[in-house]
Amino acid sequence: MSAETLAWPGSYGGDAKPRVGFFTDTSICIGCKACEVACKEWNRIPESPQGFTGKSYDNTLDLGANTWRHVAFIEQRVPADADGGASLVEAAERGGLVEREGLATSKEGDGVRWLMSSDVCKHCTEAACLEVCPTGALFRTEFGTVVVQEDVCNGCGYCVSACPFGVLDRREGDGRVWKCTLCYDRLKDDREPACAQACPTNSIQFGEVDELRERAEKRLAKLRGDGQSEARLYLADEEDGIGGAGAFFLLLDEPEVYGLPPDPVDSRRHLGAIWAATGAAAAALGAGLVAAVFGGR
Amino acid sequence: MPEPDAHPSLERFVELNGPSNGAWGELSSYMVSLLKAWWGDAATEDNEFCFHNLPRIDGDHSHYATMLKMLDGGVKGFFAVGQNPTVGSANARLQCMALSKLDWLVLRDFSETETAAFWHDSPEIESGDVRTEDIGTEVFFMPAAAYTEKDGNFTNTQRLLQWHHKALEPPGDCRSDLHWIYHLGRRIREKLAGSDDPRDRAILDLTWGYPVHGPHDEPDADAVLREIGGRQADGSFVSGYEELEDDGSTACGSWIHAGIYADGVNQSARKRPHTEQNWVATEWGWAWPKNTRLLYNRASADPEGKPWSERKRYVWWDAEEGRWTGLGDNPDFPPDKEPDYEPGRRDRAMAAIRGDAPFVLHPDGLGWIYAPSGLVDGPLPVHYEPQESPFENRLYAQQQNPTRQVFHRPENPYHPTDGETGAAVFPFVLTTYRLTEHHTAGGMSRTVPYLSELQPELFCEISPQLAQERGLEHGGWATIVSARQAIEARVMVTDRVQSLEVQGRTMHVVGVPYHWGRRGLVTGDSANELLPLALDSNVHISEYKVATCDIRPGRRPRGRDRAALVEEYRRRAGVKV
């Protein structure tokens, strides 16, 4: 059973559905961006042109009110022998093609790796956004996902600063917060989210979180066995700072490489420390005031 | 298509156009069935099944040959249906100039593409080389329906046909291609009605009675598919091309599609999910010929008919049943031909194919590396350098393909090639390609906000070394120059583009996607403005994948200064125009 949340499944009683989410296997992402387009089409998200960014083939840059799926493109130089195999360049050089024939493609023996990864709202088990929302616009659905109700959101923005991933964002000219709903409307119709349906390689897999985690573990073991020593699961662990996520990832390198926080923490976990610090500050301020008022005499 | 002199009769046409052995050995059946589909009862044995109604082809009418003829004033009118040659064809400037020599141009597209707008918005008009008032071409723009707004088939490179159903009516005056062709034909036939001129019989006798429906009299696409799929004389549907006859008893609009309406069912509209059938998925859509998913699949079994590998078995010989069988795919072989079958001396067509020869379209049933017929420049694959190359051909003394088509004319200048004076003026290799986010010349993607924002500008991809050598800044602008034109693009410096060491020299590559033009939501120069016409002699498309170019920092000059820059390069390189 995937980790219980404050509101799911308990508060739904018999209406609770199994918790669903995404397993995004970035090792088979081909960077087609079909997920970005399908998401925008289905959810009728406004266009958000940023112009030519020069960040490889990524002209979307990050998740936001108008981008609920974002494919990152990372170009990495890798040593020729990385991942247990020689690059084409190395192989050609070893074959003596350079000396014998004058035929070679060489660049100091370096190879290039092009990482692609489709990012999305993580639908955290411990979702700070939901807890700080003063209007109840953010809520936990019967599927265990986290959704903003646009007719309730008043645009206060507390959730924006609470999200450890920078997912939540206010829409310009609208003021309210918009993010991935894991296609709540489609789930109610027994259909998978638009991005997962559009993904041609099954890099984005939709399903029950428990089953997806098993699948992810198997895939990780396979990749590790094939020599992908840096491969790892990200946010699949219930012991992590957000209690695991409904949308988790298989990455081929450290999270920072993909622009993801390495150790995200539910900001509410700091509340104790924050209140303690606030108390200390208040005490100091009070002492200062006392000193200011009475010290002069 | 028949030629006027070489093909005086149907019999002679068949004789000259198909080998007598293998599947092509039945060409007369395919031809007669086609003629019966087109001219119905008017096609009889006595009149060679209306063979003489077919238009005669009198020369090379491929795209580039047509555009060159147009440039010389030899083409009066042109239909561009979903085609955008001023962005998508090599030497875009030449394409644009050719269009200005037409009397009339009809375009069918979703939006006013660069080709549709060539008379008022083109690079040549921007630079002042051409003025709208000097263009005499009358342009008719016909708005087209999108695939979601009409019934029909997609065919992909796997030969799979997948039927799509109309989801909504096309907006405004937009109509399907089928609507346009059908009603154009109908109106022409109405104008000719009552004519006793023999030449009009070819149009008046056509089977043109397609049912129409809906508010706009949309022809029934399913009826067209039935005609393509083929019928027996009694109206029942054929299940494959072997059933076609040359006695006029069968009618079939396309022999390779024979059977697409087998059993009276639109086979291409089948959508059984993959979860309800095995991985061959023969009940999803329909593949030509005869729903064959893997062509020549008899090759998956050894000469004795046993699978080469049990694990990879696909089609094999069932000796007990005396039939080819398999995982569900159509065995692409005569169903009961034994593996050890040997043809007799007099056997022809499929009977002349041995039981262990899977490639049934070849007269010997074998796969060919050595191709003694069918290609202009066979029989073996060889390596030639492209028309414009910075290197000599190390494999053969022959530098370029001797059968390539080149056009030495002022609108199509070539660069000096390796070893010739001036070659160093265009020192880099230029290659063009596509991006996932855009569709060909952009008419279907640069008009869509969600796709346009994903690849909003033309860019060029270069190595860090080239960037350093030429002072090009990542994210800045570059001007890429050939003897045809100069274009500008944003600069993407990337390790993905590697400099090559070839023949002891460092060679830099400039990569440019080709999707942009002046219309749509995202605009930019067209990569095809840079490329020359140099064609392969078999298929009459570009014989090269690369040309040569120069690249320099900054945006290109505007107005007449653009042509002046190109002219300066031509002069320095000694390019003759």
Side-chain angles (χ1 to χ4, degrees):
Chain A
M1 192 70 192
S2 51
E4 294 194 6
T5 70
L6 287 175
W8 175 96
S11 63
Y12 282 97
D15 291 335
K17 300 279 196 297
R19 186 179 179 193
V20 294
F22 292 124
F23 163 41
T24 305
D25 180 356
T26 71
S27 72
I28 52 171
C29 176
I30 56 171
C32 71
K33 306 181 190 169
C35 51
E36 288 194 30
V37 177
C39 173
K40 286 202 161 194
E41 288 273 359
W42 180 261
N43 294 297
R44 301 193 172 184
I45 301 173
E47 56 188 288
S48 48
Q50 320 235 27
F52 175 80
T53 69
K55 301 276 167 64
S56 192
Y57 280 12
D58 178 2
N59 291 309
T60 306
L61 295 182
D62 51 18
L63 294 173
N66 296 335
T67 307
W68 301 354
R69 268 276 176 194
H70 161 236
V71 182
F73 289 73
I74 300 106
E75 299 181 17
Q76 277 187 329
R77 284 189 191 192
V78 290
D81 275 325
D83 299 328
S87 70
L88 289 176
V89 177
E90 270 283 296
E93 280 177 348
R94 281 179 194 162
L97 284 170
V98 185
E99 297 84 62
R100 281 206 317 272
E101 313 292 346
L103 291 171
T105 58
S106 70
K107 212 168 72 47
E108 293 155 8
D110 275 1
V112 177
R113 182 164 77 157
W114 206 2
L115 298 174
M116 294 144 199
S117 168
S118 179
D119 196 11
V120 69
C121 169
K122 316 301 180 292
H123 295 274
C124 306
T125 303
E126 293 173 31
C129 61
L130 189 154
E131 303 304 334
V132 300
C133 178
T135 64
L138 271 151
F139 78 115
R140 179 83 58 182
T141 73
E142 66 270 36
F143 300 99
T145 57
V146 180
V147 172
V148 190
Q149 301 168 86
E150 66 263 23
D151 53 347
V152 181
C153 176
N154 68 1
C156 73
Y158 288 4
C159 57
V160 175
S161 48
C163 174
F165 301 97
V167 167
L168 291 108
D169 180 28
R170 273 193 297 213
R171 183 173 290 168
E172 238 172 86
D174 171 303
R176 292 171 296 173
V177 165
W178 301 81
K179 74 163 194 78
C180 165
T181 68
L182 221 131
C183 284
Y184 188 36
D185 51 347
R186 293 170 67 95
L187 296 189
K188 282 175 170 292
D189 276 346
D190 271 340
R191 305 185 63 168
E192 65 180 326
C195 57
Q197 180 173 310
C199 180
T201 66
N202 261 346
S203 170
I204 299 174
Q205 300 178 30
F206 165 77
E208 294 182 17
V209 172
D210 291 330
E211 199 271 323
L212 289 177
R213 282 190 188 151
E214 278 174 38
R215 221 187 285 178
E217 291 291 348
K218 277 185 197 154
R219 176 69 183 157
L220 177 66
K222 166 87 171 76
L223 288 175
R224 286 261 177 87
D226 290 347
Q228 294 268 12
S229 55
E230 291 296 307
R232 70 199 67 200
L233 296 184
Y234 177 66
L235 308 182
D237 181 2
E238 284 172 17
E239 304 299 316
D240 69 18
I242 56 165
F248 56 95
F249 303 80
L250 190 156
L251 305 177
L252 294 179
D253 208 332
E254 294 170 343
E256 297 97 311
V257 167
Y258 297 86
L260 295 165
D263 192 18
V265 177
D266 173 5
S267 36
R268 287 172 306 128
R269 291 193 184 182
H270 298 303
L271 279 181
I274 291 169
W275 281 116
T278 310
L285 184 66
L289 277 173
V290 168
V293 173
F294 299 105
R297 294 197 176 173
Chain B
M1 215 182 263
E3 291 168 26
D5 302 324
H7 304 134
S9 67
L10 175 58
E11 193 182 347
R12 185 81 181 125
F13 175 81
V14 169
E15 195 180 310
L16 289 173
N17 279 277
S20 56
N21 291 344
W24 280 114
E26 304 294 349
L27 178 58
S28 62
S29 299
Y30 313 150
M31 276 303 293
V32 171
S33 297
L34 174 70
L35 295 168
K36 284 297 287 182
W38 284 357
W39 282 289
D41 292 340
T44 65
E45 200 162 357
D46 295 337
N47 64 13
E48 290 186 87
F49 300 102
C50 291
F51 174 75
H52 297 283
N53 281 350
L54 287 175
R56 264 36 180 185
I57 196 163
D58 62 352
D60 180 359
H61 292 287
S62 61
H63 173 68
Y64 286 121
T66 302
M67 298 309 282
L68 286 163
K69 196 174 173 185
M70 196 186 293
L71 188 61
D72 293 333
V75 179
K76 280 192 188 313
F78 189 63
F79 292 100
V81 179
Q83 189 193 7
N84 191 6
T86 65
V87 174
S89 294
N91 200 337
R93 180 187 166 85
L94 184 152
Q95 309 288 328
C96 222
M97 289 163 69
L99 295 173
S100 68
K101 304 289 176 60
L102 287 167
D103 287 355
W104 52 265
L105 170 65
V106 176
L107 288 117
R108 288 186 47 75
D109 222 308
F110 307 145
S111 63
E112 193 191 26
T113 60
E114 286 76 5
T115 300
F118 89 95
W119 57 278
H120 68 88
D121 182 10
S122 73
E124 291 68 36
I125 287 170
E126 181 215 77
S127 65
D129 296 353
V130 177
R131 296 186 311 166
T132 294
E133 49 267 46
D134 296 333
I135 297 175
T137 312
E138 191 174 2
V139 180
F140 302 90
F141 181 75
M142 306 281 187
Y147 70 91
T148 45
E149 296 158 355
K150 59 191 180 189
D151 292 333
N153 254 321
F154 287 117
T155 307
N156 66 17
T157 49
Q158 189 211 339
R159 298 167 282 102
L160 187 64
L161 288 96
Q162 299 173 86
W163 190 264
H164 56 85
H165 298 277
K166 181 169 81 174
L168 70 171
E169 288 293 338
D173 289 336
C174 295
R175 299 288 179 270
S176 70
D177 295 340
L178 178 59
H179 183 282
W180 185 66
I181 294 279
Y182 168 72
H183 287 288
L184 185 62
R186 182 182 56 75
R187 289 183 192 190
I188 292 171
R189 283 158 60 87
E190 281 168 11
K191 277 185 184 294
L192 295 178
S195 163
D196 51 11
D197 190 332
R199 73 172 189 177
D200 293 336
R201 295 320 311 168
I203 292 171
L204 289 170
D205 289 343
L206 279 171
T207 53
W208 209 251
Y210 304 100
V212 296
H213 57 82
H216 304 304
D217 287 340
E218 177 72 16
D220 184 3
D222 204 65
V224 178
L225 191 74
R226 288 196 290 272
E227 179 181 300
I228 289 170
R231 290 179 192 257
Q232 303 282 358
D234 64 4
S236 63
F237 294 93
V238 304
S239 60
Y241 61 80
E242 292 94 335
E243 293 173 30
L244 303 180
E245 301 287 353
D246 61 2
D247 60 2
S249 63
T250 54
C252 177
S254 167
W255 76 274
I256 56 174
H257 293 99
I260 196 168
Y261 224 95
D263 306 322
V265 173
N266 179 348
Q267 302 285 337
S268 58
R270 297 174 304 161
K271 298 191 190 296
R272 180 183 286 253
H274 69 97
T275 48
E276 293 173 20
Q277 50 182 331
N278 74 6
W279 61 269
V280 183
T282 55
E283 290 177 57
W284 178 276
W286 187 88
W288 65 264
K290 292 193 299 177
N291 203 22
T292 307
R293 303 300 163 118
L294 217 53
L295 210 58
Y296 304 137
N297 54 35
R298 189 251 176 266
S300 67
D302 67 13
E304 282 82 50
K306 297 191 203 68
W308 291 102
S309 148
E310 272 304 313
R311 189 169 60 85
K312 296 178 186 172
R313 67 186 190 146
Y314 192 73
V315 163
W316 60 91
W317 177 250
D318 183 337
E320 274 179 35
E321 296 286 326
R323 296 185 67 79
W324 290 95
T325 185
L327 295 182
D329 199 356
N330 168 59
D332 189 16
F333 208 61
D336 52 2
K337 179 177 278 192
E338 292 176 0
D340 58 0
Y341 168 83
E342 291 201 23
R345 276 172 158 265
R346 290 174 179 282
D347 285 328
R348 54 175 295 284
M350 281 306 285
I353 300 294
R354 296 167 54 91
D356 58 3
F359 298 85
V360 294
L361 250 62
H362 282 169
D364 57 4
L366 301 176
W368 290 356
I369 295 169
Y370 180 92
S373 65
L375 291 174
V376 178
D377 65 344
L380 283 167
V382 292
H383 172 78
Y384 296 118
E385 288 295 319
Q387 169 67 29
E388 292 176 355
S389 167
F391 297 104
E392 65 169 3
N393 189 345
R394 277 287 178 95
L395 290 176
Y396 303 102
Q398 179 69 36
Q399 173 76 2
Q400 295 143 323
N401 185 333
T403 71
R404 76 193 187 286
Q405 294 178 295
V406 286
F407 309 94
H408 294 285
R409 49 189 303 160
E411 306 87 353
N412 192 49
Y414 299 112
H415 298 167
T417 197
D418 184 43
E420 294 174 6
T421 315
V425 173
F426 300 104
F428 306 124
V429 168
L430 169 72
T431 184
T432 63
Y433 43 84
R434 302 172 186 214
L435 301 171
T436 319
E437 295 86 343
H438 284 299
H439 182 259
T440 61
M444 288 171 71
S445 59
R446 279 187 290 107
T447 49
V448 178
Y450 294 156
L451 295 172
S452 294
E453 68 186 21
L454 295 177
Q455 288 294 2
E457 281 190 67
L458 174 67
F459 58 93
C460 61
E461 301 192 289
I462 56 168
S463 69
Q465 294 90 329
L466 176 56
Q468 196 169 19
E469 198 170 294
R470 284 294 162 118
L472 296 160
E473 203 179 311
H474 180 72
W477 289 91
T479 295
I480 307 159
V481 191
S482 79
R484 276 72 61 179
Q485 193 50 292
I487 69 165
E488 64 184 15
R490 302 292 293 274
V491 176
M492 174 96 73
V493 180
T494 170
D495 288 328
R496 287 180 290 105
V497 176
Q498 305 208 340
S499 303
L500 310 173
E501 292 292 328
V502 186
Q503 297 178 15
R505 282 187 281 151
T506 302
M507 174 46 51
H508 296 301
V509 179
V510 178
V512 188
Y514 86 96
H515 307 286
W516 280 268
R518 300 172 62 85
R519 316 289 300 172
L521 297 170
V522 291
T523 57
D525 288 348
S526 301
N528 271 314
E529 295 185 69
L530 296 172
L531 296 171
L533 291 189
L535 309 180
D536 171 86
S537 54
N538 286 295
V539 289
H540 312 295
I541 61 171
S542 296
E543 58 96 41
Y544 55 85
K545 196 53 208 163
V546 294
T548 55
C549 71
D550 189 31
I551 187 167
R552 47 199 283 159
R555 304 191 70 159
R556 66 166 166 79
R558 266 38 192 182
R560 295 199 179 275
D561 293 345
R562 187 184 190 186
L565 177 69
V566 176
E567 183 49 43
E568 182 216 315
Y569 267 86
R570 286 178 183 166
R571 191 177 43 74
R572 280 201 286 131
V575 171
K576 294 175 209 70
V577 294

